[in-house]
Every structure is written in structure tokens, then in C-alpha cells.
Amino acid sequence: LVSIVSQAALLQNLYIRRNPELTDNGLKWVGAKCPRLKEISVCECPQITNHGIEFLVERLNVNLNYLSMAKCFLVTDRAIKYIVLHCPKLRYLNIRGLNQLSDKSMEYLSRCRRLRSLDISKCYLITDAGIITVALQCGALRRLSLRGCSKLTDISLLTLANCCPLLQHLNIQECCFSVDAYKKFIYACH
């Protein structure tokens, strides 16, 4: 990675997925040597922590509009706060499977008015309160995945229907919404 990145100052998109060897130091190197990155994916890199994400987004801040860090299990609410503070152009965020994230992360993300796509699948601590906060503030969302968010109730689905009129893709697999809520959601979307 070091040899590739050190020669890639003009790189705008970088996808490093399923790499158990990638550490925070590797992310620091990427942030330092690739200042023009607009998109980065570090999905399923289990050694990545808040520290690496924070350093990366601090370096890329204004340019970064796409960040995917699904299944980086050591990342917590603290990193989400840092991302929101440093990435005003963020439009796509995949935090699927970050099971330490809570409604606090949703509160932070509600400040990302440019957010168009959010994947919080299998973030088991997220509740209706978090989804309502995001729905009320991020009405421009077009894609949202809630797959496996088992603490959500009908109120989340109904709030999304009323507050996110641009929503085009909604993944609610493995969620326990009532048939009545589905019907109301579909009716509200017409």
C-alpha cells in the first residue's frame, strides 16, 4: 500500500476492501499522500479504529463525499462525530455493521444536510429516536438501508414516509414493521 499510495498524489477514488492487514497507520499514510481523494472505501478492515478514521477525514475533509467503512467493528460514535465536523460535502456514508454505533451517531449525522445515501444496516443499537432525528433533518436522502435494525418500530417507517419525500430506495429487510405501517408508508409515497 505504501509504495502505491506514495506515487498517487492525484488519486481521487480508493477502494481497500477486506484487508485484515490495513491499520490506522495505513490510513494515515493514505490521508497524507492522497489529499485529493473524494471517495474511499475501507470496508471489512478489522484493524481500523476511530483514530485512523479521524486522521483520514481531517486530511481529506473538504474533498471527501463518499466514505464506506462497513464492518470496521472498532469504529464508534466518536468517529461519526468527527466525520460530520470535517466532511461538509459528504453525500454517501456506509456504516453497515458498526454495532457500537448508537443514536448519538444519528444525531451527528442529522447535521449532514447533503447526505443522499446512508447504510446503517445491522447497527443494532439504533432506535426510533435516531431514525426520527435523521429523517427530520436529512430530507434529501435518496437511499437508506435499515436492514436488521431490530429496535425500530412503525414510527420510524412512518416518519421516513412523511419527512423524506425524495427517498427512492429503502431496505427494511429483517425489520419488524407492521403490515399497517407498510400500507401507510406506501400510501404516503404516492
Side-chain angles (χ1 to χ4, degrees):
L1 179 64
V2 171
S3 62
I4 294 170
V5 170
S6 62
Q7 304 297 320
L10 300 178
L11 196 64
Q12 292 188 13
N13 305 316
L14 180 62
Y15 303 92
I16 313 169
R17 295 182 177 139
R18 296 185 183 116
N19 186 340
E21 304 300 317
L22 183 63
T23 65
D24 289 342
N25 285 335
L27 277 189
K28 288 179 183 179
W29 190 261
V30 169
K33 298 296 182 180
C34 301
R36 294 191 174 147
L37 278 179
K38 292 180 181 180
E39 297 186 8
I40 186 162
S41 176
V42 292
C43 295
E44 298 181 50
C45 296
Q47 294 190 59
I48 299 299
T49 71
N50 291 338
H51 206 64
I53 296 296
E54 290 166 3
F55 185 89
L56 181 72
V57 299
E58 186 176 290
R59 294 290 187 261
L60 303 179
N61 59 35
V62 177
N63 293 326
L64 196 64
N65 62 42
Y66 176 107
L67 177 60
S68 184
M69 52 185 185
K71 297 184 180 178
C72 291
F73 301 114
L74 301 176
V75 174
T76 69
D77 292 330
R78 188 180 102 188
I80 303 302
K81 180 180 181 181
Y82 212 81
I83 291 164
V84 170
L85 291 173
H86 291 276
C87 301
K89 293 183 181 178
L90 192 66
R91 296 174 70 85
Y92 175 96
L93 182 63
N94 181 349
I95 49 179
R96 175 177 36 92
L98 302 189
N99 51 26
Q100 294 187 60
L101 298 186
S102 71
D103 287 339
K104 198 72 178 163
S105 285
M106 299 302 100
E107 182 183 322
Y108 299 138
L109 288 173
S110 71
R111 298 179 197 145
C112 286
R113 299 298 198 292
R114 293 182 179 212
L115 201 58
R116 299 296 180 263
S117 180
L118 177 63
D119 187 341
I120 58 170
S121 300
K122 307 211 181 222
C123 291
Y124 301 116
L125 300 178
I126 305 297
T127 70
D128 290 332
I131 298 305
I132 291 168
T133 302
V134 168
L136 291 173
Q137 300 300 318
C138 300
L141 274 175
R142 288 177 174 79
R143 298 180 65 85
L144 178 63
S145 181
L146 304 173
R147 181 179 184 165
C149 292
S150 56
K151 291 190 175 187
L152 302 182
T153 68
D154 291 357
I155 190 128
S156 288
L157 193 58
L158 299 174
T159 304
L160 288 167
N162 292 321
C163 297
C164 297
L166 302 176
L167 203 57
Q168 297 170 350
H169 175 87
L170 178 63
N171 184 348
I172 51 176
Q173 294 177 69
E174 302 170 32
C175 293
C176 297
F177 300 121
S178 71
V179 173
D180 190 47
Y182 285 127
K183 288 178 182 177
K184 288 178 181 175
F185 178 82
I186 290 169
Y187 180 77
C189 291
H190 281 93

